[in-house]
Amino acid sequence: MVDWNLAVATATRLVRPGPEVSRDEARAVVAELRRHAKASEEHVRGFTRLGTEEGHDTPVLVVDRPGWIRANVAGFREILRPLLDKMQERRGSSAGGAVMSAVGGKVTGVELGMLLSFLASRVLGQYETFAPATRELPAGQNGGGRLLLVAPNIVHVERELDVDPHDFRLWVCLHEETHRTQFTAVPWLRDHLEGEIQSFLGETDVDPMTVLERIREAAQSLAGGRPEAEEDDGGRSLVEIVQTPAQREILGRLTAVMSLLEGHADFVMDGVGPSVVPSVGEIREKFQQRRAKGASRLDLALRKLLGLDAKLRQYRDGERFVRAVVDEVGMDGFNRVWTSPNTLPTKAEIAKPADWVARVHRRAE
């Protein structure tokens, strides 16, 4: 159904080149990011009161854009395997199914590669948890993932914002280290997220042409063929287009937990930042402006279609939720959110933190 090797090859070929740096500069950036990632562990654990030394066995990988692409293709391949097997079974039983699969797999591989080439130049860091461990992509001994820091993108943004590069690199590491702490300190979190994603995919209309058409729409937007995609689709994202009623319910839960994770990372970054990042105020202001305005009109259209605008809202809504709860019940009280899936906030509670406090704290009292 998807030619994964072709997806990697296409994305690697199309991705924009990174900023110009000398070999010595590149080595210095990699070394500094590793140091900052290590230092961030103690800062984040101290502020959040989560995790232990033993919990941080997951590796830090400083990668370039092709490295990020390969890691994410491996993750997508793993998480999408049940859905694609189901689609393959349906297509295989139809007339000409084998030929359609061969052709469709290459088409989908190219189009997925186009999307990944777009994203690969924008991601600063990521805690990748789904890809199986390999020599190229090691993982934690206890089944954890790995922290990816995309060096050329970090250098590109620090230059674009004209901020202190050393402060900016530490600031990014604080955010990404918070995600690593979330997953290593909360053992059930990865399995819970994977279960929700599999439930969402299990409810998907497995008609291959429908799914391929959605990927094609996003790819054509990237190529400039449909710059008005967000208007044609009534303002819906790629994810929203394929929803069933059951999927909308699952997506609501996924949106809530992703808002929590992203908002918590922003809250921690702001909480730790002033004591260890001298120019954090300037960095935060410039980075927020960059987040808000995006780039070209085509970039905005594709962000809408891929649901990236929703991700920006998750940062804002989640950070407000975390801040309100910590103000009300303190950090230890907030950390009850990590007790079990039942104590995660709902989508409605993200918008109304007092309702989460009432449900989790007052009921327990």
Side-chain angles (χ1 to χ4, degrees), residues 95-107:
V99 174
M100 288 177 63
S101 292
V103 175
K106 292 191 179 302
V107 171

Side-chain angles (χ1 to χ4, degrees), residues 3-323:
D3 187 329
W4 297 104
N5 292 333
L6 186 56
V8 171
T10 301
T12 302
R13 186 176 69 254
L14 294 179
V15 70
R16 297 174 183 173
E20 291 187 9
V21 295
S22 69
R23 186 179 297 273
D24 288 342
E25 286 175 318
R27 288 173 177 163
V29 170
V30 170
E32 184 172 19
L33 287 173
R34 292 188 184 281
R35 290 196 304 271
H36 284 332
K38 181 64 177 176
S40 295
E41 292 182 24
E42 183 176 352
H43 295 316
V44 171
R45 285 201 305 270
F47 185 80
T48 63
R49 304 176 194 173
L50 291 173
T52 62
E53 287 286 351
E54 292 75 16
H56 283 274
D57 70 332
T58 55
V60 176
L61 306 179
V62 182
V63 299
D64 57 10
R65 290 168 179 176
W68 180 88
I69 288 166
R70 289 191 294 271
N72 277 268
V73 166
F76 290 152
R77 188 172 189 169
E78 187 69 18
I79 201 71
L80 293 174
R81 190 185 305 276
L83 172 64
L84 294 177
D85 287 348
K86 192 174 180 181
M87 292 170 62
Q88 181 70 37
E89 182 179 348
R90 172 177 288 194
R91 174 172 281 188
S93 64
S94 64
V99 174
M100 288 177 63
S101 292
V103 175
K106 292 191 179 302
V107 171
T108 308
V110 169
E111 292 174 341
L112 179 60
M114 293 173 68
L115 295 180
L116 287 170
S117 72
F118 170 83
L119 296 172
S121 62
R122 285 158 172 78
V123 176
L124 301 181
Q126 173 188 359
Y127 185 75
E128 203 295 313
T129 184
F130 295 119
T134 63
R135 178 178 297 180
E136 186 183 39
L137 201 63
Q141 296 179 359
N142 298 319
R146 70 285 296 169
L147 179 61
L148 306 176
L149 297 170
V150 191
N153 294 352
I154 293 172
V155 172
H156 171 77
V157 174
E158 71 193 26
R159 291 179 178 179
E160 179 185 311
L161 298 182
D162 190 23
V163 294
D164 183 282
H166 309 293
D167 285 1
F168 184 75
R169 293 165 195 173
L170 177 55
W171 188 73
V172 171
C173 287
L174 288 171
H175 182 101
E176 303 306 334
E177 175 59 35
T178 303
H179 287 315
R180 182 164 71 148
T181 297
Q182 291 163 346
F183 281 90
T184 55
V186 186
W188 53 264
L189 184 57
R190 179 196 179 279
D191 290 341
H192 173 71
L193 267 180
E194 183 176 12
E196 291 282 59
I197 292 170
Q198 292 300 341
S199 296
F200 181 88
L201 295 176
E203 292 290 335
T204 299
D205 177 1
V206 294
D207 172 38
M209 295 310 297
T210 300
V211 178
L212 293 179
E213 179 60 26
R214 300 314 176 199
I215 295 175
R216 187 167 296 114
E217 287 171 359
Q220 287 173 347
S221 288
L222 177 58
R226 293 184 66 227
E228 307 297 332
E230 80 281 17
E231 295 175 9
D232 293 348
D233 293 323
R236 295 179 295 170
S237 72
L238 181 66
V239 172
E240 292 170 327
I241 290 170
V242 298
Q243 279 186 72
T244 66
Q247 282 180 309
R248 281 193 289 273
E249 183 178 338
I250 299 168
L251 188 62
R253 296 196 299 267
L254 278 170
T255 299
V257 71
M258 295 310 296
S259 296
L260 171 70
L261 298 179
E262 297 293 359
H264 184 235
D266 266 12
F267 177 79
V268 172
M269 191 166 55
D270 286 348
V272 175
S275 63
V276 297
V277 182
S279 60
V280 65
E282 177 191 4
I283 291 173
R284 186 74 159 125
E285 181 180 357
K286 289 183 175 180
F287 194 76
Q288 289 286 56
Q289 291 173 354
R290 182 181 185 273
R291 267 184 185 172
K293 71 180 182 181
S296 66
R297 190 160 183 266
L298 174 60
D299 186 53
L300 293 172
L302 188 60
R303 274 176 31 180
K304 182 72 174 179
L305 190 59
L306 293 175
L308 300 183
D309 282 349
K311 186 174 178 65
L312 297 182
R313 289 194 297 274
Q314 288 171 7
Y315 284 106
R316 296 192 298 268
D317 297 345
E319 196 274 342
R320 282 195 293 264
F321 170 84
V322 176
R323 186 173 301 280

